[in-house]
């Protein structure tokens, strides 16, 4: 588990970095499209509150399951089967969330 707080406005990088690190964030990943603040589940609320108090509104904030390893699936037919299976789990009303560790070539 880890907390993820994302900002799509990459121009906020300096502000987000300063506030998040002071509040106890573990890491910050920046690319052309977004800023991703990573926290422990325990410090997630504190970091999110600090960012909000500083006037920085995130586009998404949640505690997620993040795999320590990923499985690359390059076979298109196999990937389609996996997507179909995940969709079937999602459609089941007893299932609250579905997590996986597979990635396709386009995600690399």
């Amino acid at each position: 588990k880890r907390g993820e707080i994302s900002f799509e406005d990459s121009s906020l990088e300096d502000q987000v970095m300063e506030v998040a690190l002071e509040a106890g964030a573990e890491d910050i990943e920046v690319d052309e499209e977004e800023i991703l603040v990573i926290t422990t589940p325990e410090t997630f609320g504190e970091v999110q509150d600090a960012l909000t108090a500083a006037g920085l509104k995130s586009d998404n904030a949640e505690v997620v399951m993040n795999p320590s390893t990923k499985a690359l699936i390059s076979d298109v037919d196999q990937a389609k089967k996996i997507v179909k299976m995940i969709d079937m789990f999602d459609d089941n009303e007893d299932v609250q969330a579905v997590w996986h560790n597979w990635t396709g070539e386009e995600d690399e």
Side-chain angles (χ1 to χ4, degrees), residues 7-106:
F7 298 84
E8 290 182 6
D9 185 356
S10 58
S11 69
L12 300 172
E13 179 181 351
D14 293 336
Q15 292 172 290
V16 169
M17 193 172 292
E18 181 180 334
V19 173
L21 292 175
E22 271 186 36
E26 284 195 334
D27 195 12
I28 298 174
E29 297 175 0
V30 180
D31 63 26
E32 299 121 19
E33 297 175 12
E34 77 172 351
I35 303 167
L36 182 64
V37 177
I38 299 169
T39 71
T40 64
E42 296 78 24
T43 61
F44 174 76
E46 295 170 26
V47 174
Q48 185 180 21
D49 290 346
L51 289 164
T52 303
L56 300 165
K57 184 174 180 342
S58 65
D59 293 299
N60 188 39
E62 60 186 328
V63 175
V64 299
M65 297 292 285
N66 187 55
S68 56
T69 60
K70 291 187 177 184
L72 175 62
I73 305 297
S74 56
D75 183 299
V76 175
D77 290 332
Q78 191 175 20
K80 286 180 182 179
K81 289 178 185 177
I82 293 171
V83 169
K84 182 178 177 183
M85 181 181 67
I86 290 172
D87 288 342
M88 288 171 60
F89 285 133
D90 279 336
D91 291 342
N92 186 324
E93 65 186 44
D94 293 331
V95 176
Q96 295 179 4
V98 177
W99 304 96
H100 62 82
N101 71 335
W102 75 278
T103 182
E105 287 183 30
E106 68 277 354

